[in-house]
């Protein structure tokens, strides 16, 4: 097996784990938002109960809601997690390449590791989907307040009681509060978290590539290719680009790149390393003790399902769970089922344990 093929396999595995990690962040974030919603509803009830239809003023309501906004810990939690995640990504990229490259290469081209705080700054300073991460987070908070304000305004205009307005805002207990207008903001927050993880991971990969560009010949786009894959990702699958995002052998633009092309983008990319000869290392045979050959070749085309079928039983079970991994091996599961098993989430601690590079 070549080093480039190993890099491709690990890139896919890493993306699978990041989906589960993002699901874990969503789960914790929704817990925080539920606490805030409960407090917001309590204060909203008091504020509305003190007002009558005749003296109701939307400006007074907005003042009250802005005071509740400070109770939200969503942005603090997300940025704290992304900061810690940058440390993992920095160590992951460096350890992966260090474990695969032979000494004959690293002695001539020492690997450069990116500082976690540098990665975090880069992730915050680079926009995705036209806005900075901080702007997207702020929009989530502002959107929640606007929806509450509009719901109250509508309630007063139609003569609803305080209880009816509160139900409109938060929802009903019998439906687990999923029928309130705040539920829309929670769905938006979930999409943002998956996108923020992909954006941060992509930024980490970009920065590592820039720092170690002498080793890299090109980068290859890898799309998920299941029933949820967008056309814009399908047409880019397996396409190669230079490190400065110019197409190689085709005319399809790089756009924002894998993980950033659209919200919740699951595409990744893998670096194609140069051969020994291209690096100026004059050898014909793989050195003794080298883990894999370094021939500079692009790995053969492989679908995600084919990739998973080629992985160890342990890794298959990590991705799918024991039963679905068995179905995969027996040919009874389709590609749309492979990506992550239902209900499986990872914490950052879990992610570090699963991706420990030996």
């Amino acid at each position: 097996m070549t080093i480039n093929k190993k890099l491709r396999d690990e890139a896919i595995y890493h993306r699978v784990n990041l989906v589960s990690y993002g699901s874990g962040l969503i789960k914790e974030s929704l817990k925080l938002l539920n606490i805030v919603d409960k407090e917001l509803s309590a204060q909203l009830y008091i504020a509305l109960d003190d007002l009558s239809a005749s003296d109701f003023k939307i400006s007074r309501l907005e003042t009250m809601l802005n005071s509740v906004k400070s109770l939200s810990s969503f942005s603090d939690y997300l940025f704290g997690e992304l900061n810690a995640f940058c440390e993992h990504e920095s160590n992951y990229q460096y350890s992966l390449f260090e474990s695969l490259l032979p000494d004959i290469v690293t002695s001539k081209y020492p690997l450069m590791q990116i500082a976690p705080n540098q990665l975090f700054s880069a992730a915050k300073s680079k926009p995705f989907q036209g806005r900075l991460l901080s702007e997207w987070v702020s929009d989530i908070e502002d959107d929640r307040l606007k929806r509450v304000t509009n719901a109250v305004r509508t309630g007063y205009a139609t003569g609803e009681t305080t209880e009816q307005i509160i139900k409109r805002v938060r929802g009903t207990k019998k439906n687990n509060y999923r029928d309130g207008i705040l539920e829309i903001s929670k769905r938006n927050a979930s999409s943002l978290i998956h996108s923020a993880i992909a954006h941060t991971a992509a930024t980490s990969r970009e920065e590592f590539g820039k720092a170690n560009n002498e080793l890299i010949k090109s980068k290859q786009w890898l799309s998920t290719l299941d029933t949820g894959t967008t056309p814009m990702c399908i047409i880019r699958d397996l396409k190669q680009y230079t490190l400065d995002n110019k197409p190689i052998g085709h005319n399809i633009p790089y756009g924002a790149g894998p993980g950033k092309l659209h919200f919740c983008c699951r595409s990744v990319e893998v670096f194609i390393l140069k051969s020994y000869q291209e690096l100026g290392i004059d050898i014909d045979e793989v050195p003794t003790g080298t883990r894999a050959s370094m021939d500079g070749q692009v790995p053969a085309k492989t679908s995600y399902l084919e990739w998973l079928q080629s992985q160890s039983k342990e890794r298959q079970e990590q991705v799918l769970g024991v039963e679905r991994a068995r179905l995969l091996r027996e040919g009874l599961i389709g590609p749309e089922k492979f990506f992550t098993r239902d209900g499986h989430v990872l914490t950052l601690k879990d992610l570090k344990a699963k991706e420990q590079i030996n």
Side-chain angles (χ1 to χ4, degrees):
M1 179 183 290
T2 67
I3 290 178
N4 281 334
K5 185 177 186 304
K6 283 195 171 186
L7 286 175
R8 183 201 61 188
D9 286 352
E10 292 306 315
I12 297 171
Y13 182 59
H14 187 51
R15 183 65 186 121
V16 171
N17 287 334
L18 292 189
V19 171
S20 293
Y21 172 55
S23 297
L25 292 194
I26 289 171
K27 183 178 179 180
E28 293 303 313
S29 295
L30 293 184
K31 287 181 182 178
L32 295 175
L33 290 176
N34 285 336
I35 293 173
V36 173
D37 289 350
K38 185 176 180 180
E39 179 66 23
L40 186 151
S41 298
Q43 292 204 27
L44 183 60
Y45 190 95
I46 295 172
L48 295 179
D49 217 32
D50 288 342
L51 294 173
S52 65
S54 59
D55 66 2
F56 172 74
K57 292 182 179 179
I58 202 68
S59 59
R60 182 175 170 183
L61 174 66
E62 290 174 338
T63 299
M64 184 277 294
L65 291 177
N66 277 313
S67 69
V68 176
K69 179 181 178 181
S70 64
L71 297 172
S72 175
S73 52
F74 171 69
S75 58
D76 291 340
Y77 172 75
L78 180 57
F79 280 118
E81 280 288 336
L82 290 178
N83 193 7
F85 176 60
C86 283
E87 181 178 359
H88 170 74
E89 286 297 285
S90 171
N91 292 331
Y92 173 78
Q93 293 290 346
Y94 180 83
S95 298
L96 175 60
F97 278 75
E98 185 182 47
S99 70
L100 294 177
L101 293 175
D103 292 341
I104 196 172
V105 173
T106 55
S107 61
K108 185 174 182 178
Y109 300 95
L111 284 174
M112 303 295 293
Q113 183 171 8
I114 311 301
N117 62 336
Q118 182 179 336
L119 290 181
F120 189 47
S121 296
K124 291 190 296 182
S125 64
K126 293 184 177 182
F128 66 98
Q129 298 301 302
R131 294 186 179 183
L132 298 176
L133 181 58
S134 59
E135 293 174 326
W136 283 116
V137 173
S138 179
D139 280 352
I140 293 291
E141 296 176 340
D142 292 342
D143 177 69
R144 286 162 60 81
L145 298 183
K146 289 177 182 177
R147 291 183 188 279
V148 173
T149 301
N150 290 336
V152 173
R153 183 186 282 116
T154 299
Y156 266 96
T158 57
E160 290 182 339
T161 64
T162 296
E163 286 78 8
Q164 288 173 322
I165 294 175
I166 295 297
K167 286 182 179 179
R168 177 195 292 270
V169 171
R170 195 180 181 210
T172 58
K173 186 176 182 179
K174 71 175 183 178
N175 290 318
N176 202 24
Y177 302 105
R178 291 194 178 95
D179 50 346
I181 56 98
L182 289 175
E183 183 66 20
I184 299 174
S185 296
K186 291 177 183 176
R187 291 196 294 269
N188 292 342
S190 297
S191 295
L192 174 61
I193 288 173
H194 274 308
S195 298
I197 293 296
H199 166 74
T200 303
T203 300
S204 172
R205 189 171 55 244
E206 290 168 8
E207 294 299 311
F208 182 84
K210 289 178 184 177
N212 298 280
N213 63 84
E214 291 182 307
L215 291 165
I216 300 169
K217 179 162 59 175
S218 64
K219 52 188 181 181
Q220 185 181 41
W221 191 298
L222 302 175
S223 298
T224 303
L225 296 185
D226 61 18
T227 55
T229 308
T230 63
M232 63 180 72
C233 285
I234 291 175
I235 64 171
R236 288 171 170 82
D237 184 44
L238 300 178
K239 296 295 187 293
Q240 287 190 65
Y241 297 86
T242 64
L243 278 180
D244 57 354
N245 306 331
K246 291 183 174 59
I248 298 176
H250 61 91
N251 59 3
I252 300 174
Y254 186 75
K260 301 183 182 184
L261 193 62
H262 56 82
F263 263 96
C264 299
C265 179
R266 295 173 297 158
S267 294
V268 296
E269 67 186 0
V270 60
F271 293 127
I272 305 299
L273 301 185
K274 297 176 181 177
S275 67
Y276 289 119
Q277 286 71 30
E278 288 170 323
L279 291 172
I281 300 174
D282 189 17
I283 57 173
D284 295 323
E285 301 296 330
V286 177
T288 302
T290 299
R291 295 172 179 82
S293 62
M294 193 166 177
D295 60 9
Q297 297 300 307
V298 178
K301 181 177 180 180
T302 304
S303 71
Y304 272 67
L305 183 59
E306 290 169 335
W307 167 81
L308 191 57
Q309 288 172 324
S310 71
Q311 300 302 294
S312 67
K313 178 181 177 182
E314 179 184 30
R315 181 167 284 190
Q316 289 174 349
E317 292 179 350
Q318 285 180 343
V319 174
L320 294 173
V322 175
E323 179 60 18
R324 292 207 293 175
R326 180 186 66 80
L327 295 174
L328 172 76
R329 290 192 293 274
E330 295 178 0
L332 301 175
I333 189 170
E336 72 278 1
K337 299 292 186 182
F338 105 90
F339 205 79
T340 182
R341 64 188 175 96
D342 296 339
H344 183 57
V345 298
L346 295 177
T347 64
L348 186 57
K349 181 179 179 180
D350 296 331
L351 183 65
K352 290 178 179 178
K354 290 184 69 171
E355 298 190 334
Q356 184 67 41
I357 304 297
N358 297 317

